[in-house]
Amino acid sequence: MLKTMGNSLSGGVSKLSMIGRALMLPISVLPAAGLLLAFGDKFQLPLVKLAGGVLFDNLALLFAVGSAIGLAGEAGVAALAAVIAMLIMNGTMGTTLGITPEMASGGGKYAMVMGIPTLQTGVFGGLIAGILAATMYNRFHTIKLPAFLGFFAGKRFVPIVTALAAFAMGLLLAELWPYIQAMISGLSSVVNGENQAISTFIFGAVERALIPLGLHHVWYPSFWFAFGDYTTSTGQIIHGDQTIWFKMYAEGVKSFSSPTYSNAGKFLQGEFPLMLFALPAACLAMYHEAKTSQKKIAAGMLFSAGLTCFVTGITEPVEFMFIFVSPVLYLFNVIMAGLSYMAMYLMEVHIAKSFSAGMIDYISFGIIPSLNGYQTNYLKVVLYGIPMAVTYYFVFRFVIRKFDLKTVGRDNKVAETSEVKAEITHAEEDLTALVLVRLGGLDNLTSVGACITRLRLEVKDASKVDAQGLKDLGAMGVITLGSNGVQVVFGAKAQEIADAINVMRNGS
């Protein structure tokens, strides 16, 4: 019984991981929207500012199309099906419940979505539509029909069956969503209530804790896009910390607080001290603890990972160097991340991130807005980040030495791995071929995708995956989720490898 429960739990984690993968494509659009807003405001270019704002105003549609494409192997038909699902699903909900444009204009439980008065489902409605469309595509895009219906077979059948499924989903959501809405509202009240310092700590700690499983992408959307209510100058109600920050920025709310929502950015900014100071300091500590004979190799790996973290805010190349070899450092990183979020909130910092909290976002949404009078208080990141970096440096050196951890440069396998990598860096297709062999071959793969730094795979038989062989090729971590889910952290090469494998799978 316990084994069955364990398999069910790990299988559920695997499915959640796939949802996390679905979120990556629509979320990747946010940096463009954020930068358009930032530079449009800085240089007083209303058209540029509007271009950024319109993306944030249509997040539900972006999530529908983006998640459908991400889950359906980037198939254009799935994107079309997602738009159909959005239209029919929202139209069905609105008509079933008798929602009028006047009711929708009042905000709250109702909204205008793509010109349709309907329930306010936000980005979750878009995600539901996208997953529905991708499911229909994956299930029916190769369907064969009788000869007299041949025109509607294959991919042409996908929009038809999606329309029918979206109608049924609309009927179901008309009954269920008000209860889900009430639950979201209740959680929002708790998260944005009197204990916001505790809320920010929990948010930051849980987000870091979920990094190894890749489930952090499932954790933060509720905070970014659902929890919290901000009433705009035109009476529109905006939900979610990130969406609210950018709407306040667009409307010129320089304090990032209003009677309906205070301290915008509290679930965004806590990672800046971590990315800009703490994790680069951890890299320096690992370098100083490397064996003399391996310092050159360690320097190359750690400098690249630390610089990536500092500039872009992508932390996995750094974190995967220690979280699997030391539970102590993993727990330390989790707690310190939570404290960083709490500290930024208590210090009244108000900096957004469009995607990840590196120097690019720090300049764009911390320094640049402050030049126009916005109270981002960006210098407080430095005041907190420096002692945080010192703490990371000495804690890492102590723990590595105390427990003789095999971090980068303290294991002879590093040299062997680097030799293998050196042999294949000149030919990306060679790397892909070697990765495929260690994944059990093309026939062992049922789904291949990537998000930022990791391959996200569904395999037929996880026992055929050679984890050590993948690490020898440069993978920083291999995570097995359930009997079929596998994630391989390859850094920036992950997307290139995924694309190359999909080309082979599609025979093109």
Side-chain angles (χ1 to χ4, degrees):
M1 182 177 177
L2 289 175
K3 183 178 180 181
T4 301
M5 290 175 63
N7 290 338
S8 297
L9 179 60
S10 58
V13 170
S14 178
K15 295 303 180 185
L16 282 174
S17 174
M18 295 303 290
I19 292 175
R21 166 184 153 190
L23 290 167
M24 292 313 301
L25 186 58
I27 286 176
S28 68
V29 177
L30 298 181
L35 290 173
L36 286 168
L37 268 177
F39 288 97
D41 179 79
K42 169 59 183 171
F43 298 108
Q44 298 300 304
L45 301 170
L47 188 59
V48 175
K49 194 173 178 179
L50 176 65
V54 76
L55 290 177
F56 282 105
D57 290 339
N58 290 278
L59 284 177
L61 179 59
L62 294 179
F63 271 72
V65 174
S67 60
I69 292 174
L71 287 173
E74 301 188 2
V77 173
L80 173 63
V83 174
I84 291 170
M86 280 285 289
L87 291 168
I88 294 178
M89 193 175 76
N90 282 291
T92 302
M93 286 190 292
T95 302
T96 301
L97 297 174
I99 302 170
T100 64
E102 291 73 23
M103 293 165 66
S105 64
K109 297 188 297 181
Y110 310 119
M112 293 293 293
V113 178
M114 300 174 69
I116 302 168
T118 185
L119 286 173
Q120 173 61 273
T121 56
V123 298
F124 296 111
L127 186 60
I128 291 169
I131 293 174
L132 182 67
T135 302
M136 295 300 104
Y137 174 85
N138 292 332
R139 174 67 179 83
F140 294 109
H141 77 281
T142 58
I143 191 172
K144 298 184 184 302
L145 297 174
F148 70 95
L149 293 175
F151 178 81
F152 300 104
K155 292 182 179 179
R156 291 192 183 98
F157 186 72
V158 173
I160 299 171
V161 71
T162 300
L164 297 173
F167 176 74
M169 181 63 73
L171 292 174
L172 180 64
L173 288 178
E175 297 296 324
L176 293 182
W177 192 258
Y179 297 101
I180 298 173
Q181 210 168 40
M183 182 182 69
I184 292 174
S185 179
L187 289 172
S188 178
S189 297
V190 173
V191 166
N192 292 289
E194 297 179 356
N195 298 310
Q196 292 185 39
I198 296 175
S199 296
T200 52
F201 173 84
I202 293 173
F203 172 81
V206 172
E207 184 185 40
R208 285 297 103 186
L210 293 175
I211 286 285
L213 299 176
L215 295 181
H216 52 301
H217 297 306
V218 180
W219 169 250
Y220 62 72
S222 295
F223 294 84
W224 284 19
F225 308 119
F227 295 158
D229 303 309
Y230 166 63
T231 304
T232 68
S233 57
T234 60
Q236 181 185 11
I237 298 177
I238 304 297
H239 302 279
D241 193 50
Q242 187 189 61
T243 317
I244 289 171
W245 191 97
F246 281 105
K247 179 59 72 173
M248 286 183 172
Y249 188 24
E251 292 198 326
V253 182
K254 298 186 184 296
S255 66
F256 290 106
S257 288
S258 77
T260 57
Y261 190 84
S262 62
N263 304 303
K266 58 190 169 223
F267 298 116
L268 303 166
Q269 62 206 11
E271 289 181 346
F272 284 103
L274 189 71
M275 275 60 159
L276 299 181
F277 295 93
L279 290 177
C283 289
L284 182 61
M286 286 187 279
Y287 168 74
H288 284 154
E289 289 300 322
K291 295 178 181 179
T292 302
S293 61
Q294 296 183 37
K295 277 192 180 292
K296 185 176 181 181
I297 294 172
M301 295 175 67
L302 289 165
F303 177 79
S304 175
L307 184 62
T308 298
C309 176
F310 179 83
V311 175
T312 68
I314 297 173
T315 64
E316 289 176 351
V318 177
E319 290 175 308
F320 275 71
M321 290 180 181
F322 66 83
I323 59 179
F324 291 124
V325 300
S326 174
V328 174
L329 290 178
Y330 167 69
L331 182 59
F332 169 75
N333 190 51
V334 166
I335 293 172
M336 291 298 287
L339 290 174
S340 182
Y341 269 93
M342 179 188 285
M344 293 297 94
Y345 165 75
L346 294 174
M347 295 171 74
E348 298 183 345
V349 177
H350 304 295
I351 306 177
K353 62 176 182 178
S354 60
F355 185 67
S356 200
M359 180 55 71
I360 294 173
D361 274 4
Y362 183 67
I363 293 172
S364 300
F365 310 119
I367 296 176
I368 290 178
S370 73
L371 299 178
N372 281 1
Y374 288 88
Q375 298 170 21
T376 61
N377 296 324
Y378 67 94
L379 286 175
K380 292 182 179 179
V381 172
V382 180
L383 294 177
Y384 185 79
I386 291 175
M388 191 174 178
V390 173
T391 303
Y392 262 68
Y393 177 80
F394 285 108
V395 167
F396 267 69
R397 292 204 67 175
F398 173 80
V399 173
I400 291 170
R401 191 172 299 183
K402 174 72 174 177
F403 298 102
D404 190 26
L405 300 180
K406 301 304 179 184
T407 50
V408 178
R410 294 176 62 83
D411 189 339
N412 290 330
K413 289 181 180 179
V414 171
E416 298 169 8
T417 298
S418 297
E419 290 173 6
V420 173
K421 289 168 67 179
E423 292 175 4
I424 60 177
T425 50
H426 66 285
E428 208 60 54
E429 61 271 19
D430 291 346
L431 174 58
T432 302
L434 291 169
V435 168
L436 264 178
V437 171
R438 286 153 178 79
L439 290 174
L442 275 178
D443 291 340
N444 194 38
L445 303 177
T446 58
S447 173
V448 179
C451 71
I452 311 179
T453 61
R454 67 178 84 190
L455 294 174
R456 290 178 179 261
L457 312 163
E458 289 286 324
V459 299
K460 295 176 183 176
D461 185 354
S463 66
K464 292 183 179 180
V465 177
D466 180 3
Q468 186 55 54
L470 290 166
K471 291 177 183 177
D472 290 342
L473 293 177
M476 287 159 276
V478 180
I479 308 104
T480 301
L481 302 172
S483 57
N484 303 107
V486 176
Q487 297 178 6
V488 188
V489 181
F490 265 112
K493 291 181 179 292
Q495 187 64 59
E496 297 173 12
I497 296 171
D499 290 343
I501 291 176
N502 279 322
V503 167
M504 296 180 189
R505 293 181 71 218
N506 295 330
S508 55

